[in-house]
Amino acid sequence: VVSLTNPQVLQLFANKFTDLTDLAISPPPNLQHLGVGYNQLTDLSSYMSPYFWPNLLSLDLSHNRIGHVMPTLQSLSQLISLRNLSLISNPITLAPGYRGCTLDMIPQLQILDDVSISDDDRLHFTNISREPVQWDQAIFTVLFPILENLRQPPENEALDEANCHYPIQKKYSYLIRFHFVSDSSPDDGTTSVAQTTSGIIPQTSEDMASPTVQVTLTPAATSEHHLPPLSPGSEEIEGAGASPDGENEEYVPVGAVYETEAVPWEINSEFLKPVIVRCSDLTLLEKFLGGEVQFTVIEKVIESFTAIAPPDPTSPTPTSGQKK
């Protein structure tokens, strides 16, 4: 049990707290700043109320495991004196509407995640928390801008007498198959083990293709039916996930095995169409994004046969005087 003599500032960073039960038994009545970053907090609903913290002005919850938007903000909105809030590096911040919803539900805030709040920000996000959207859902795009150093496909074999009338034509194309790997670190001190959410065993480095691949992950802009509206120029919507031809993309859940579209061979192949990934568990998404992406370059070969009819021996041979 924490027992202190009426402090105004309390820093409890990196103590592996999973809740604030002990602190809430006898909360300091005049506390103005509470720092509980770098812990393992997931739920604040039982501890954030004016009864515990009537004079709390500043709250640092950064680098925890808080992953539910609405329950968290509903709890924090009860702290009527709160002016400075930090939720940096929590899964909740991966939600595209996180900042706007926070400003709307806690209007007395002056600083959020070390960024000052302007009157324009408040006006823009007014009543956004009332929108019927899935606040805990994040959608982002995975884009492989270019695939370099592909080997040149072998030329078609010279036609011989046996297959001269039925030549084989080969068309080469390439795609990238990938999946996310989360590196879970157990709290009991045991060695962390890489886990995959798909049934496919990741290939080893010897099996991986040698071409150079660039990977880009950005939040995806989607329709208002999926995610709340965001302010123009917001970092949360950079890299819109619309396809070049303007068609809507299909969403695939995080943890699946994904494939890019197949593109014809070039020395440097460009994959212009992004893969859009959706996740409704922000805590799980943070683990995946903090892990790695394993990928395989796949070569597809399509063989086709073009029948060339041999000359008919019974047809008359045109003479020089006949029209050809």
Side-chain angles (χ1 to χ4, degrees), residues 159 161 163-167 305-315:
L159 300 179
E161 184 176 353
N163 64 4
C164 62
H165 299 306
Y166 301 95
F305 301 85
T306 303
I308 302 178
D312 187 356
T314 61
S315 61

Side-chain angles (χ1 to χ4, degrees), residues 89-281:
S89 293
N90 277 276
I92 188 177
T93 61
L94 296 172
Y98 150 74
R99 185 173 180 83
C101 191
T102 304
L103 299 187
D104 184 41
M105 295 189 66
I106 316 178
Q108 71 272 20
L109 281 181
Q110 297 177 357
I111 300 174
L112 175 61
D113 297 338
D114 298 334
V115 179
S116 298
I117 301 170
S118 67
D119 292 337
D120 290 340
D121 291 334
R122 300 182 198 279
L123 180 62
H124 181 82
F125 294 115
T126 300
N127 295 327
I128 191 176
S129 61
R130 301 179 184 179
E131 295 288 334
V133 296
Q134 301 180 35
W135 290 104
D136 290 343
Q137 176 174 278
I139 299 177
F140 62 97
T141 64
V142 181
L143 179 63
F144 296 85
I146 195 168
L147 181 61
E148 300 177 339
N149 303 325
L150 279 176
R151 72 180 185 92
Q152 185 172 357
E155 298 291 340
N156 289 336
E157 298 178 357
L159 300 179
D160 54 28
E161 184 176 353
N163 64 4
C164 62
H165 299 306
Y166 301 95
I168 300 175
Q169 296 180 348
K170 295 183 179 181
K171 181 182 295 185
Y172 291 82
S173 61
Y174 297 84
L175 60 87
I176 299 176
R177 178 178 294 163
F178 66 97
H179 67 282
F180 293 91
V181 179
S182 64
D183 189 7
S184 302
S185 299
D187 299 329
D188 56 3
T190 57
T191 305
S192 62
V193 179
Q195 298 177 341
T196 63
T197 57
S198 66
I200 296 181
I201 300 176
Q203 295 185 343
T204 62
S205 57
E206 291 79 10
D207 298 328
M208 300 293 283
S210 58
T212 304
V213 178
Q214 302 175 13
V215 187
T216 303
L217 282 78
T218 57
T222 59
S223 68
E224 58 183 0
H225 300 292
H226 290 95
L227 296 176
L230 298 170
S231 59
S234 170
E235 293 182 359
E236 294 171 316
I237 59 174
E238 287 183 357
S243 58
D245 55 8
E247 296 181 356
N248 294 330
E249 300 283 353
E250 293 185 357
Y251 304 124
V252 286
V254 70
V257 177
Y258 315 101
E259 288 185 356
T260 65
E261 61 177 347
V263 298
W265 177 87
E266 290 183 7
I267 266 295
N268 297 325
S269 296
E270 296 184 8
F271 296 85
L272 299 177
K273 190 174 181 181
V275 177
I276 297 184
V277 181
R278 177 174 59 189
C279 183
S280 297
D281 186 336

